[in-house]
Amino acid sequence: AAGVIQSPRHLIKEKRETATLKCYPIPRHDTVYWYQQGPGQDPQFLISFYEKMQSDKGSIPDRFSAQQFSDYHSELNMSSLELGDSALYFCASSASGWGQGEKLFFGSGTQLSVL
Amino acid sequence: SQQGEEDPQALSIQEGENATMNCSYKTSINNLQWYRQNSGRGLVHLILIRSNEREKHSGRLRVTLDTSKKSSSLLITASRAADTASYFCATFAQGAQKLVFGQGTRLTINP
């Protein structure tokens, strides 16, 4: 069965550079979520999209932006990278519809290292 | 944590024993979910319990939910070495479109 696909798996950037993370949800899933997980930390919710519209927002820095495209894939754009942005970034998708809160299917994550 | 606390933060038991993890949360919820994460890997959904349910079973997993105390517990029976992982509870708040995770319990099963 198809799973959530994230690319790239690993990304190394310098401070102040820009990074773009991509997420391809499971086919026919209508909701995409982005999470950030630091070492030994719990996943922190960043942002979600339902049917290509932003549906909820967490503690996402202003330097970050995200969108969901017509084919339902999503991209997380991160600018002016800081050392503290080094983390594992997960994308997840669900087929729940707005506010229904069904289970999430997670990708394998993108490990971002900022040097 | 965005949500609340998990207890204990780390648990080490012998294979075959039962493992119990507890979770507290802060808001009114639509449902509560438990996820498992092997080191550095993606999260895997284990079980979902809705706010109007009190107990749910799935294989060796048993989850309880007490909405009056805003708490939940996950019991893994007859543990195996392969159960070694971090376990997170997560809540879907009413009116929200986000799953908020707790701090997690790192479970180690010793052969």
Side-chain angles (χ1 to χ4, degrees), chain B residues 5 22-26 29 32 34 49 54 63-73 89:
Chain B
E5 297 183 357
N22 303 295
C23 160
S24 63
Y25 58 91
K26 299 175 181 174
I29 62 171
L32 185 144
W34 285 88
I49 185 166
R54 292 297 167 258
V63 169
T64 62
L65 179 65
D66 187 335
T67 53
S68 66
K69 295 180 180 178
K70 290 187 167 58
S71 66
S72 174
S73 67
C89 73

Side-chain angles (χ1 to χ4, degrees), chain A residues 1-57:
Chain A
V4 177
I5 298 172
Q6 289 188 247
S7 67
R9 287 297 307 274
H10 302 274
L11 190 57
I12 299 174
K13 291 286 185 178
E14 300 278 340
K15 280 196 314 183
R16 291 180 288 278
E17 285 190 326
T18 297
T20 297
L21 279 54
K22 297 186 178 182
C23 169
Y24 297 85
I26 292 172
R28 291 180 294 283
H29 279 195
D30 53 21
T31 308
V32 167
Y33 307 79
W34 284 97
Y35 286 85
Q36 177 192 59
Q37 186 177 30
Q41 303 296 312
D42 55 294
Q44 296 287 311
F45 172 75
L46 294 177
I47 196 166
S48 63
F49 293 88
Y50 170 67
E51 285 293 343
K52 293 160 282 186
M53 298 289 289
Q54 180 182 311
S55 52
D56 213 327
K57 199 170 182 179

Side-chain angles (χ1 to χ4, degrees), chain B:
Chain B
S1 167
Q2 291 179 326
Q3 174 204 250
E5 297 183 357
E6 284 195 46
D7 164 44
Q9 290 190 352
L11 179 62
S12 180
I13 60 174
Q14 294 300 119
E15 197 167 19
E17 294 181 335
N18 297 340
T20 299
M21 289 159 269
N22 303 295
C23 160
S24 63
Y25 58 91
K26 299 175 181 174
T27 62
S28 295
I29 62 171
N30 180 312
N31 63 63
L32 185 144
Q33 304 179 31
W34 285 88
Y35 286 80
R36 165 197 169 120
Q37 183 179 37
N38 288 84
S39 181
R41 308 279 298 271
L43 294 108
V44 176
H45 179 267
L46 294 175
I47 195 165
L48 180 155
I49 185 166
R50 302 191 186 281
S51 59
N52 61 352
E53 297 176 311
R54 292 297 167 258
E55 187 171 313
K56 203 161 184 180
H57 297 255
S58 177
R60 295 184 295 112
L61 305 180
R62 172 180 169 253
V63 169
T64 62
L65 179 65
D66 187 335
T67 53
S68 66
K69 295 180 180 178
K70 290 187 167 58
S71 66
S72 174
S73 67
L74 171 68
L75 168 67
I76 303 175
T77 61
S79 63
R80 305 166 181 169
D83 294 329
T84 295
S86 291
Y87 292 81
F88 293 91
C89 73
T91 54
F92 218 101
Q94 292 177 355
Q97 190 72 349
K98 61 183 177 182
L99 192 65
V100 177
F101 284 83
Q103 291 177 330
T105 294
R106 185 171 301 189
L107 176 65
T108 302
I109 308 298
N110 302 302

